[in-house]
Amino acid sequence: MPQPLARPGLSPSDLAPPAQPGVARMDAHVHSKASDGPVIAAAGFIGCPECYSEPEAIYDTARARGMDLVTITDHDTVKGAWTLVERGFDRFIAGEEVTVLFPEDRCKLHVLVWDMTPELDDELRTEDLRADVYRFAAWLRDRDLPHALAHPLYIQNGRLTRWHIERAALLFKAFECLNGAHQGRAKGTIERFIERLTPDTCAELAREHDLKPVWPEPWIKGRSGGSDDHALLNVGRTYTEMAPAEGNRKITDPRAFVRGVLDGGGDSAGVGGHSSLLAHQIATVGMHYYARRMHPNATPTGKLVGRKLLRFAGIDLPKPSKPRLAAHLVRKRVLRPRKRRSPLISALRETIGPVLERYPDLYARLDRNTWPTAGTAVGEHERMAELADELSRALTDALSSRGARALRKHDKQGVLDAIVAAGVVQLAQIPYIFSLFHQNKERVFLDRLDHELSADDRGPSVLERPMRVSLFTDTLGDVNGVCRFIQNVAQMARESGRDLEVITSTRLPVPDESNIYNFKPLFASSMPRYDNLEFVIPPVVEILRHLDRHQPDVLHISTPGPVGLVGYLAARMLKIPVLGVYHTDFPAYIDHLFEDAAFTFMCKRYMQFFYKPFSNVFTRSEDYVEALERLGMERAKCTALMPGVDTDTFNTKHEDPTVWGRMGVDPDAVKVLYVGRVSIEKNLPMLAGVWKDATRRFRELGLDAQLVVVGDGPYRATMEQELTGVRFLGFRHGQELSAIYASSDFFVFPSVTDTLGQVVMESQASGMPVIVTDQGGPKEVVREGETGFVLPADRPDLWVDRIIQLVRDGGTRQRMGAAAHDSMQGYSLHHSFDHFWQVHTEAWHAHLARIGIRPHAGISAPTA
């Protein structure tokens, strides 16, 4: 037997757990460099194959990872495997992954066939058996070849249905139940399908399909497992195992092993596939392609950097010689002194060292001398994904700093170079994004098949478990009604045991709760004119990876910003419905801020684009259902969410007159409160003018009143200059804010763009009458003349009159405040959340019905 090559490095996580005595193992699905088709369709244009693994290295790796027997199953060729057969490798059997088609619709299947020879491979080709799955299955029977239908639930060319799977059950004797490159969930589904097979069900399938079973006893199915490895990363991590037939002696003959699989004696074991594993296989193949096709043409500096990066995948290339590197640097400085250094190369030099220091286990694997015992870095999938995330973040930070410096120097080319380099960093994440989408493309098919099988008591239906919701928001750390709404939703979910998680990305502090996830932004900057608001670029891959693990059923997008866009991308990845809330009338805000018709038009078009795919959009008031219709939403998809307020946090019981002394507010004056963003779009210039007129009237009438403003924003400085005697308290939170509400006398809210005005409800719950405009949502939670006043936004004189009336008439304030408090007691957060959850449940069930998942006869779907 030939001497084995030096095996790739291994770590404890590489090794399969010890087998029971006598149990034999074989990774029954592995690829070598003979699988030379494109790794993905797009790679075919550049001639990148799907695998570079040497057959000898596959053999050594499999044996080192605890496999007793070895095979290679290349796509539609036996050449790679046959090289080991000819050289007499022990305990090895040649295989092939054969592509076959249903002639009716050309639906593609892959079938693993073992004990293959070049002559049998020639028969497949000369008789054109791959084009007809029925002739191919008969050929397998006539040649009595051991085989298994590979990844049976993998939709390869968009045609696979249950019809094809049922026919495959009549055509093939064994199924691959666990594939290391495809999601592990499929194992449970295909095994439930196999367990459903009985003599009676197989006879029924034969009648339904008018197709005779090819093999005897088709209800007895062999089960196999294999890594489907293309890059020497996962060989031996997924495998087939078989107990001894007699005498507790381990099977050492690979032909006896695969024959046992065909007879139903094998089982699948090991790890299922996941997105990081697939991404690293793709990336490794790409790195091999670069090493062979592009690296030789790189500059000495590029070769130096490329060599370091390629070592992550166990690719060891010679280091550029010192004389050649020095000559290159001299040429650059002397002959091309003005040429800019690549910002990406500079950023890599600056960041990769510090980042690697935080991953000493992976850093150690860059030394080729450690590979025989420790293995390559890219094979540690979870750790490598974490490293890729952190390196991407570090590179983005470095490039953002370079871009900012170039902007300050008015260096347009420097800014452009930094932007292009940052784009390249994000493009490097494409293997992860592709893999996340790829691993979820069968989700609908698996859900539907699981549900259909559940009718025969073969496992649970998707309808039998609680719904999972992921809520995306760009704002959670700010002080506004949107944030309080989302925090209330998260709190209600925790208290009621509902599976809802909140996803955001911000530098601002957010509540430290178990169902709130704050992903550190790749880039964050204060918004122009709004220092307390952020523009962020969220870490797309990190968030998608989290969603891939959580597998929600419904996505709720609360804001139309960058985080909201990631939510929409996640919904496309998971193939699930999207709901949202129209919290903010952005077109109206833009119109107030800029008074520019073009800006307003662009904002409207963006909102139309953003909300059009939603299954349902909540508004915070009936008034804004019409606004959504004007944006092009169907009225049937618009729902006014039952408003809710935390009547315990905002309550008269929190009244504390001593709070004013601590804040520099006159304790004897009538306190007129405003809470919210201090900005033009809240119509505060109108309030400033009203307060000036009211102050003159106060002096004439001998009244003592003080305006108290809680919040901050770009209009604060102007407002402070225009008004004297007004107390600006900035942001206030928690018990202090509750005390301010309950200890004030009445509330003014001049906004004409709010969809609800959460602060209006909080004020009334705290026992204050309110004054609001006749535009927007706040008027819907105010009883005119009973709990407050609803006044025209263009009649400041009426605002002055009502403010004077409430300042001078304490009896009216008390009567209206008591009515306001009582009116809010019916707006329970629990009722509001139940309505919120019910609408999501209905959207989920409607989505399931559209994909063919409906309650079985006599069984109703669970309610919210």
Side-chain angles (χ1 to χ4, degrees), residues 388-403:
D389 289 341
E390 189 166 343
L391 183 59
S392 174
R393 188 188 310 283
L395 287 170
T396 303
D397 285 345
L399 292 168
S400 297
S401 298
R402 290 174 185 274

Side-chain angles (χ1 to χ4, degrees), residues 24-27 67-71 91 251-254 257:
R25 290 173 170 173
M26 180 174 78
D27 183 343
M67 299 298 103
D68 303 288
L69 310 162
V70 183
T71 188
R91 297 191 180 188
I251 298 173
T252 58
D253 178 3
F257 186 92

Side-chain angles (χ1 to χ4, degrees), residues 18 46 105 184 340 452 472 481 502 550 564 695 740 745 764 856:
I46 60 173
D105 59 1
R340 293 175 180 268
E452 291 167 357
F472 281 72
V502 175
H550 188 64
T695 300
I740 291 172
D745 294 292
Q764 293 181 96
H856 299 306

Side-chain angles (χ1 to χ4, degrees), residues 506-814:
T506 178
R507 296 176 301 179
L508 301 175
V510 301
D512 184 16
E513 299 292 349
S514 60
N515 61 343
I516 294 177
Y517 297 86
N518 182 20
F519 292 84
K520 183 181 177 182
L522 291 176
F523 171 81
S525 177
S526 298
M527 294 281 283
R529 300 172 59 185
Y530 289 85
D531 291 340
N532 59 310
L533 297 180
E534 288 184 307
F535 170 77
V536 307
I537 297 177
V540 176
V541 173
E542 286 184 58
I543 295 175
L544 292 181
R545 193 179 294 125
H546 171 85
L547 270 291
D548 179 54
R549 288 191 293 264
H550 188 64
Q551 291 288 308
D553 303 298
V554 178
L555 258 293
H556 180 103
I557 300 178
S558 186
T559 51
V563 175
L565 288 171
V566 175
Y568 180 64
L569 183 64
R572 295 294 299 271
M573 176 185 83
L574 297 167
K575 306 182 189 310
I576 57 178
V578 180
L579 287 82
V581 177
Y582 191 66
H583 276 295
T584 305
D585 189 356
F586 281 109
Y589 267 35
I590 295 296
D591 194 46
H592 275 76
L593 281 172
F594 299 103
E595 297 181 353
D596 187 304
F599 279 10
T600 303
F601 173 78
M602 287 189 293
C603 182
K604 285 182 178 178
R605 292 302 298 268
Y606 174 73
M607 300 300 276
Q608 289 168 349
F609 154 78
F610 188 82
Y611 284 105
K612 186 176 181 179
F614 284 33
S615 299
N616 196 291
V617 179
F618 291 103
T619 66
R620 301 306 310 278
S621 61
E622 291 286 351
D623 187 74
Y624 274 88
V625 172
E626 295 182 4
L628 281 172
E629 280 192 287
R630 290 193 295 271
L631 285 174
M633 284 292 295
E634 299 174 29
R635 192 177 188 91
K637 292 184 176 181
C638 302
T639 303
L641 178 64
M642 183 185 297
V645 62
D646 187 343
T647 53
D648 185 62
T649 298
F650 303 101
N651 195 289
T652 54
K653 67 183 181 182
H654 297 294
E655 183 178 0
D656 178 13
T658 64
V659 72
W660 303 122
R662 298 194 297 271
M663 296 182 181
V665 178
D666 182 358
D668 298 322
V670 175
K671 267 69 72 179
V672 183
L673 182 66
Y674 167 85
V675 177
R677 187 173 296 125
V678 185
S679 55
I680 293 174
E681 73 272 13
K682 292 292 186 180
N683 204 22
L684 288 185
M686 188 274 275
L687 179 61
V690 164
W691 192 255
K692 287 179 185 177
D693 292 343
T695 300
R696 286 194 292 269
R697 296 276 298 276
F698 293 154
R699 287 195 292 267
E700 294 171 2
L701 297 171
L703 300 175
D704 186 10
Q706 187 167 16
L707 178 62
V708 178
V709 177
V710 175
D712 207 342
Y715 187 62
R716 175 174 171 173
T718 301
M719 198 170 178
E720 283 183 305
Q721 290 176 354
E722 291 184 359
L723 301 176
T724 58
V726 175
R727 189 74 178 101
F728 290 84
L729 300 182
F731 292 119
R732 300 289 166 162
H733 309 271
Q735 179 60 37
E736 189 176 52
L737 180 61
S738 298
I740 291 172
Y741 268 120
S743 306
S744 298
D745 294 292
F746 66 95
F747 188 81
V748 289
F749 196 67
S751 174
V752 295
T753 59
D754 271 65
T755 56
L756 175 64
Q758 189 74 29
V759 290
V760 176
M761 298 185 71
E762 293 167 356
S763 301
Q764 293 181 96
S766 300
M768 278 189 286
V770 298
I771 303 177
V772 301
T773 70
D774 60 353
Q775 297 180 36
K779 65 180 183 292
E780 295 183 15
V781 293
V782 178
R783 298 175 187 170
E784 166 61 29
E786 183 180 345
T787 67
F789 299 109
V790 179
L791 304 177
D794 57 355
R795 291 291 306 276
D797 57 315
L798 294 182
W799 279 71
V800 174
D801 290 344
R802 288 305 187 188
I803 288 173
I804 296 297
Q805 177 186 349
L806 289 177
V807 168
R808 88 191 304 179
D809 190 346
T812 299
R813 291 199 308 269
Q814 291 180 359

